Amino acid sequence: MTASTGPFHQVLLLLANALIPVAILTFATGFFPYKPFLPGLAQYGETGGYGEVPAPPFDKVVFMVVDALRSDFVYGPASAFSFTQSLITEGAALPFTAHATSPTITMPRVKAITTGSIPSFLDVILNFAESDTTSNLAHQDTWLAQMKAKGTGKLVMYGDDTWLKLFPETFARADGTSSFFVSDFTEVDNNVTRHIPRELENDDWNTMIMHYLGLDHIGHKTGPKSPHMIPKQREMDDMVQTIYAALGAQAHLHSTLLVLCGDHGMNDAGNHGGSAPGETSPALVFISPKLKTITKGKPCPAPEEPDYRYYDFVEQSDVAPTLAGLLGFPVPLNNLGVFIPSLLRFWEGRDRLQLLVRNAVQILEIVRATFPHADFGGPPRLSDCSTASSDVDELACMWQQASRARQEVKEGNYESTLEASRSFTTFSKRAQEVMSSTASNYNVPRLHWGIGIASVSAAVALVLSVSTIRGSIMTWLVLTAICLSYGGMMFASSYVEEEQHYWYWVASGWLAYISLKESRFRAAALGVTSVGILLGLRVTRRWNQTGQKFAGEPDIAKAFLPAHNYIMWTAVVAAYLDILQRLTRRGFPRAPPQVAIVISVTLCLAAFSFKAAFTRADAPELLRDLPQLLRDGLPSPPLIVQARTVFLGLATALGYAVFSHLWPTAAKGEEGKGIEGGLGWLLHDLLSLLLLTQTRVTNIPLFLLFEVQLNFLTSLDLSATDISITSLVFQYLSFFALGGSNAISSVDLSNAYNGVGGYDVVAVGVLTFVGNWAGPIWWTSAATLLLLRRAKREPAVWGRHLALQTLFTTSSLVSVMAACAALRSHLFIWTVFSPKYLFSMAWCLAQHLGVNVVGGSILFWAGRA
């Protein structure tokens, strides 16, 4: 064992990697703290002696959430919500576009709708932990808690079980469904609808929650232009018509308000989680025959709006105080929403003012709790509040002016009622803006500790890397340039959003560099091969348009291949045949060639059959141009059985291969086959088959390009440092080429349930990671194979490789942490930098520690065995 990989080197390497999760956890607990909230339930208090609380026009509410109901799905000219549009036209429905702040995923959006507050970004993580109950709203004031406290009826819920986790022991009757089983478009909604006719006849409830998931699942699977989208919209519109008919037919529903809304929207790729206009613009419609008394209707469908802002634009948190007035309960304590002005027409003069005052007083309590030293009493100190020196002083000025106008009304000057109403509305809206943009209660010492621990890890990795220098100084200058430029890029929001371009440029430059370096010693034919590889890289760049600016734009995967089914399926078949020929050529140890061929054909055929059947069920438009027999397919078992068969077959083949290679009697006879016939290459082929199973069918041809690039790299005499840099570059390149980005909306759940019958946090989590990081996992395996070839001449190559991988991982982690800490008051902290930190956690913990360190070490050890 060389000095560079002696016991001391191994201890330092272990220390550097052990500090990574410690640093991440420490920083995360300071960056994503739970926001404090005021406990208890709000009570009606004194608001100026206006008498009784204004009588509410409604006593029941049916709250119908259609997951990912983007505004144009209801209001646009291509919408299938024809009945809902007719209600808007005749005045029985009031339409809005409700702004959903990032993160645009279900749990934080439901929190915003029910509490009126701004949820913590930590809910992004808790949203994916279906078993989590630590973020529930059992002890917070919500409009559901207020409706339950009224004692006028029970609460019932059907649909997304997020509501059951957020509101435990709240619903008298409920039937929840998992929001992550995205392959289901139909049953997940039928499970909601089947309860509704019976509940509409019951008169023992005052609140009914319905949360439909099918439309969101269609978006995730095939995008907003899917052929499934219009039928699903029509189905949801039929449900609106059923409920509206019952409001007039059933006596106990005459004073019932129907609210139709989306928790978030979706982008042009059908995903959500980020801050694109389509993701932050869900529809919000208040529906009741009583609305005809306050509105004459609005033209619908409306002209297409590129930014999805149809009709009046309100905040999603405005739902809470608006329902408080419409249903007759106090505004929830932690609310930052403002009563929607259009619905104030149910009341006149002083009653309308009283509702606005109660809303403003409640928001004032939150402002005072946040800024305890601010003085909101006394007469106005400024005639123009916009000249105030700070946001807090401006709010104090606005409150003082509103209080003065209210006092004039109390003294009998009723002409000031309109001015007072405007003043309180202005204060509430400005307070909403200020409190929504106020920096979170960061634990700054923990941020610094996290950065410090990560810096120590990076310093240890740097010492290890310097001590293992092999190769030219130029190669090390390239690695240094990558680390420094990437770190600096993390401080610019635009570069974070469009990170894919950085890796495309780096990959092009790196391939050109190693090609030129080799061409000095090799034949001119190498130059031709290099040009071909660079052209292939260009195709890779155009495969999936990702990032923020160009997501959803035409590309190979979403535009060309769906329009040219034959080309796509030819490439897909070629990818499976390539794996098949490699498996049959290398064979299985201790198995006759004929048996090895049967095993290989069975595995590949089962994997391809599952992918074809999955596509037939999931995206039939990708089979449109194929012959009828291929489109319909032969009778086959359910998808879950097929997926489990593939996984079981791969596991069996893996177990047999490892056992046969490592069993003493099998050691003989393998030496003559060479390193490319050893266990490492066989495991790589089996892994490739698994990754194709977890990849969208339109992305499978990319793995053919990866294989071509690997063959090119295999032909070069790369140093260990060259291989390490190549592995790093192609891991990130392939992540973005397969459609990944630094936006939560790019997380692909389409293969998260392969072989899974229900929600299992571990199984779904692993399958989700493998599906989204299939490219990086493949290149980790490929780089390990290249290092196995190099290990013949350099036995210590693996330790040096891990040191270099750890150096980039830790240096990039330090940069991301520093950017998040330094820019924590930045406008894009929650829409750009926080998601980037979450992705950095995945890269460091899952990809680096789980795949590069643990998985790569196992593969390297198996290949050497």
Side-chain angles (χ1 to χ4, degrees), residues 495-512:
Y495 283 104
V496 173
E497 290 177 330
E498 306 298 330
E499 183 182 334
Q500 72 276 9
H501 295 299
Y502 173 83
W503 291 108
Y504 294 155
W505 297 331
V506 169
S508 300
W510 176 247
L511 282 177

Side-chain angles (χ1 to χ4, degrees), residues 558-640:
K558 292 187 286 291
F560 179 79
L561 293 181
H564 301 82
N565 292 172
Y566 278 107
I567 296 177
M568 185 194 76
W569 284 105
T570 299
V572 170
V573 170
Y576 281 97
L577 288 177
D578 177 62
I579 295 177
L580 175 60
Q581 65 86 17
R582 284 187 275 127
L583 284 173
T584 55
R585 176 165 52 87
R586 289 168 185 147
F588 285 84
R590 303 179 68 183
Q594 296 83 355
V595 175
I597 291 175
V598 171
I599 295 175
S600 302
V601 170
T602 302
L603 283 175
C604 292
L605 186 59
F608 176 78
S609 298
F610 165 71
K611 186 56 66 176
F614 185 91
T615 305
R616 191 177 300 114
D618 177 58
E621 66 276 7
L622 296 178
L623 298 161
R624 182 182 57 249
D625 298 332
L626 300 185
Q628 185 71 30
L629 177 62
L630 296 178
R631 290 202 308 269
D632 296 341
L634 298 175
S636 59
L639 288 176
I640 188 172

Side-chain angles (χ1 to χ4, degrees), residues 3-6 8-17 20 456-470 476 479 483 720-721 723-725 727-728 787 796-812 848-849 852-853 857:
S4 64
T5 57
F8 183 66
H9 179 282
Q10 295 174 354
V11 170
L12 288 181
L13 185 59
L14 178 63
L15 174 64
N17 284 282
I20 292 175
V456 171
S457 178
V460 173
L462 178 61
V463 170
L464 292 174
S465 300
V466 170
S467 69
T468 62
I469 290 180
R470 298 288 189 278
W476 275 91
L479 178 61
C483 291
T721 305
I723 295 173
S724 296
I725 297 177
S727 172
L728 168 67
L787 289 169
V797 68
W798 186 250
R800 294 199 296 272
H801 171 72
L802 287 184
L804 294 176
Q805 295 290 317
T806 304
L807 173 61
F808 177 80
T809 298
T810 52
S811 64
S812 63
H848 175 67
L849 294 181
N852 283 334
V853 176
S857 296

Side-chain angles (χ1 to χ4, degrees), residues 9-47:
H9 179 282
Q10 295 174 354
V11 170
L12 288 181
L13 185 59
L14 178 63
L15 174 64
N17 284 282
L19 289 176
I20 292 175
V22 176
I24 288 175
L25 181 61
T26 302
F27 187 89
T29 55
F31 192 64
F32 297 126
Y34 278 109
K35 290 190 176 184
F37 62 89
L38 302 175
L41 293 181
Q43 304 292 330
Y44 281 125
E46 175 61 35
T47 59

Side-chain angles (χ1 to χ4, degrees), residues 279-445:
E279 299 170 65
T280 60
S281 303
L284 172 64
V285 190
F286 291 84
I287 303 172
S288 170
K290 288 188 176 184
L291 288 170
K292 293 181 180 180
T293 62
I294 65 170
T295 178
K296 295 181 180 180
K298 299 183 178 183
C300 196
E304 186 174 344
E305 296 287 347
D307 60 357
Y308 303 102
R309 291 196 175 198
Y310 293 85
Y311 305 109
D312 292 338
F313 195 70
V314 301
E315 292 296 322
Q316 209 170 48
S317 56
D318 295 345
V319 170
T322 302
L323 289 181
L326 294 174
L327 294 164
F329 57 79
V331 178
L333 286 174
N334 298 284
N335 166 72
L336 288 174
V338 181
F339 203 113
I340 297 175
S342 301
L343 289 160
L344 283 169
R345 299 171 192 160
F346 276 115
W347 299 273
E348 299 292 337
R350 297 180 67 191
D351 283 346
R352 184 180 300 179
L353 175 59
Q354 182 181 168
L355 290 170
L356 293 173
V357 171
R358 292 183 184 277
N359 189 180
V361 168
Q362 173 270 321
I363 293 178
L364 178 65
E365 293 303 314
I366 299 178
V367 175
R368 280 176 166 162
T370 307
F371 305 105
H373 302 296
D375 182 11
F376 290 87
R381 300 177 181 83
L382 296 171
S383 58
D384 184 1
C385 295
S386 63
T387 62
S389 58
S390 66
D391 290 338
V392 181
D393 290 340
E394 182 182 9
L395 289 178
C397 174
M398 288 180 170
W399 179 258
Q400 291 158 0
Q401 289 185 350
S403 298
R404 181 181 61 184
R406 180 179 65 163
Q407 185 62 31
E408 292 179 2
V409 175
K410 289 176 62 178
E411 293 173 355
N413 184 7
Y414 299 128
E415 294 181 356
S416 298
T417 301
L418 181 59
E419 179 187 350
S421 298
R422 289 173 177 171
S423 296
F424 280 108
T425 300
T426 301
F427 166 80
S428 296
K429 287 186 175 295
R430 182 60 182 143
Q432 183 185 58
E433 294 174 2
V434 172
M435 297 303 297
S436 299
S437 61
T438 298
S440 177
N441 54 332
Y442 302 104
N443 189 325
V444 178

Side-chain angles (χ1 to χ4, degrees), residues 215 473 477 713 756:
L215 187 139
I473 297 299
L477 289 177
L713 295 171
V756 180

